[in-house]
Amino acid sequence: MISKAIKNKSVLLNSVNLTRSYSNKVNYNEIYKKHSKIAEKELSKDEVIKAIKENTLFSWNPTEAAANKALVMEKGDGVYFYDINGKKYIDFNSQAMCSNLGHTVPEEVIKAIDDQLRSAAYAYPCAIVTPVKAKLSMLLADIFPGDINHFFYTSGGAESNETAMRMARLFTGRHKILARYRSYHGATLGAMTLTGDPRRWNSEPGASGVVHFMDPYPYSFKWGDNEEEITEMSLKYLRETISYEGPNKIAAIFIESVTGTNGILKPPKGYLEGIRKICDETGILMVCDEVMNGFGRTGQMFGFMNSEGVIPDIVTMAKGINGAYLPLGAVGCRDHVADYFMKNPIGIGSTYNSHPVTLASAYAALQYFLKNGVLDNVQKLEPVLKKHLEELKSRHPTVKGYRSLGLFGTVELQKNSKGEPFVGYNGPAHPAMGQLQEDMVKNGLYTLLRWSSFFTNPPLTINEKELKEGFEILDKCLTNLDKHFEK
Ligand SMILES: Cc1ncc(COP(=O)(O)O)c(C=O)c1O
């Protein structure tokens, strides 16, 4: 089979090489003239999509299908954005659960970016530091509880997780890392290997040393009938996994403190506390991936703060750190971990680490967050979101259930009274879910659908009226979906 595939591929490559030949002479003046005109032109939707198909590639979906379905965003305004034809959408997923401050960039963030660009636009991170790096690091040390006082800046969530893996391995001198099946940690090789969900499969065999374990909430069975039982059994199972792998061979346990795309799952009572205890007993580092939870999404500043007294050894973050206005991630660690790196290098780095303009955006965005009580807004709207979700459940037979905390919510759908999903675990698409997505777009709501569920994760700056407006659209779309319900 494999040799046949290779043979077919080489025939294909030969035919491409045979039929096309290119000159490598390029007339840059002509290109400049052409693009001076293009730059002035307002592209139509069709022209945008044509260029996207001809000159770009998509990530998780085949490019052609993804390009055909893509919305062409022209401008953002608060919790809304507009497409190129002027159609308005309410953003019910903050794009990738990241546009947490909405689509209107606060003036102070624009000013901070502008000032930084005009003063020091770039600094080599290995040898040069900037005042904004000092200020942001002091602010983060104040925002984080406990002794999480030291920060390393990256360009996003995956890179932060790569760095945390490296730090944990160097600090402990151990290689293995435990991560959960119901998780997503990013798309670079190490982060993809950490990831437990099927997005990992295309990157396998991946990096070495990661062992996956099951969550307190597996898809197809329960560890127990109440939170106490679930916590007890899943921690017993984790302890047993650790003993099979060798506690002194394991550098870290990575967890999303509240599971994000794999189902908005708050850990059962005592679970994170239990993991902290296991880590303390075994010298394994506890690493919390706060890339999606961090900075208020769950109703606490960080997801791990939903559990009593738990301070992880290392924390990774991105997205909400600056409302995703520029690419930025970070790793935070406690004093005992940082002490090691005072005398030893992390040995990882990139040109864009600690980019002063991204740091300036975060410093201003976090001050805006604090000044405007964004966390208070999330806490105030948490019960309102729950009430809307409950109403959807009571009104629509296709709504099997929902989960939410803070402004982090998901609705699970069912196709019949047996509770069967429209799309099973990583299952084939179902036309009803495709129709639901089309209805949402038609009615002016953007969100993410995954298998048999969709998310309700608006910007954290949303108000009650806007939240209601989004749910009215969802109600309408679900009334259509209900026609697919088989009693
Ligand atoms: C929990 C979690 N970790 C890591 C990542 C990866 O972040 P990035 O896409 O910035 O690399 C994501 C992205 O969605 C995430 O949700």
Side-chain angles (χ1 to χ4, degrees), residues 282-321:
T282 52
I284 297 172
L285 295 187
M286 178 178 191
V287 183
C288 286
D289 178 337
E290 291 280 342
V291 169
M292 193 171 276
N293 303 176
F295 305 99
R297 174 59 65 189
T298 69
Q300 295 291 332
M301 188 59 95
F302 297 100
F304 66 81
M305 293 169 79
N306 289 290
S307 303
E308 203 48 47
V310 171
I311 309 282
D313 299 292
I314 299 180
V315 183
T316 61
M317 64 205 105
K319 298 183 190 261
I321 190 169

Side-chain angles (χ1 to χ4, degrees), residues 195-424:
T195 292
D197 84 14
R199 280 172 279 187
R200 182 187 73 247
W201 299 347
N202 280 343
S203 300
E204 282 174 338
S208 69
V210 176
V211 176
H212 287 106
F213 64 104
M214 273 191 288
D215 298 73
Y217 299 110
Y219 273 97
S220 59
F221 71 92
K222 282 187 184 169
W223 291 111
D225 290 329
N226 55 51
E227 288 197 42
E228 283 71 24
E229 265 178 44
I230 290 171
T231 297
E232 191 190 331
M233 286 311 290
S234 30
L235 289 175
K236 265 192 187 158
Y237 152 77
L238 175 58
R239 279 185 186 275
E240 186 147 335
T241 306
I242 290 171
S243 64
Y244 294 145
E245 294 297 334
N248 60 359
K249 300 285 175 203
I250 301 169
I253 299 178
F254 271 68
I255 39 169
E256 289 176 71
S257 336
V258 174
T259 302
T261 39
N262 279 277
I264 318 287
L265 298 159
K266 183 179 171 186
K269 214 163 174 293
Y271 180 75
L272 281 197
E273 292 86 334
I275 291 191
R276 181 65 273 176
K277 188 159 180 281
I278 291 173
C279 287
D280 290 341
E281 287 165 14
T282 52
I284 297 172
L285 295 187
M286 178 178 191
V287 183
C288 286
D289 178 337
E290 291 280 342
V291 169
M292 193 171 276
N293 303 176
F295 305 99
R297 174 59 65 189
T298 69
Q300 295 291 332
M301 188 59 95
F302 297 100
F304 66 81
M305 293 169 79
N306 289 290
S307 303
E308 203 48 47
V310 171
I311 309 282
D313 299 292
I314 299 180
V315 183
T316 61
M317 64 205 105
K319 298 183 190 261
I321 190 169
N322 63 350
Y325 295 129
L326 289 173
L328 177 65
V331 182
C333 70
R334 295 177 60 182
D335 289 345
H336 61 282
V337 178
D339 281 349
Y340 177 82
F341 294 104
M342 291 293 156
K343 299 272 184 286
N344 300 279
I346 298 178
I348 200 168
S350 100
T351 305
Y352 300 112
N353 288 165
S354 299
H355 193 294
V357 181
T358 66
L359 301 185
S361 74
Y363 191 52
L366 289 176
Q367 281 179 305
Y368 176 90
F369 184 102
L370 297 174
K371 181 175 158 202
N372 290 282
V374 175
L375 187 58
D376 296 339
N377 190 53
V378 179
Q379 290 169 352
K380 188 182 93 188
L381 292 184
E382 175 165 8
V384 184
L385 174 67
K386 270 212 162 63
K387 185 183 85 112
H388 284 302
L389 289 165
E390 184 57 39
E391 267 167 31
L392 284 190
K393 183 164 185 282
S394 68
R395 286 174 52 78
H396 298 283
T398 47
V399 174
K400 182 176 182 181
Y402 64 86
R403 288 181 292 279
S404 78
L405 73 166
L407 284 174
F408 211 17
T410 187
V411 174
E412 295 276 0
L413 300 166
Q414 58 185 4
K415 66 176 179 187
N416 55 31
S417 44
K418 281 190 266 171
E420 288 169 342
F422 285 98
V423 179

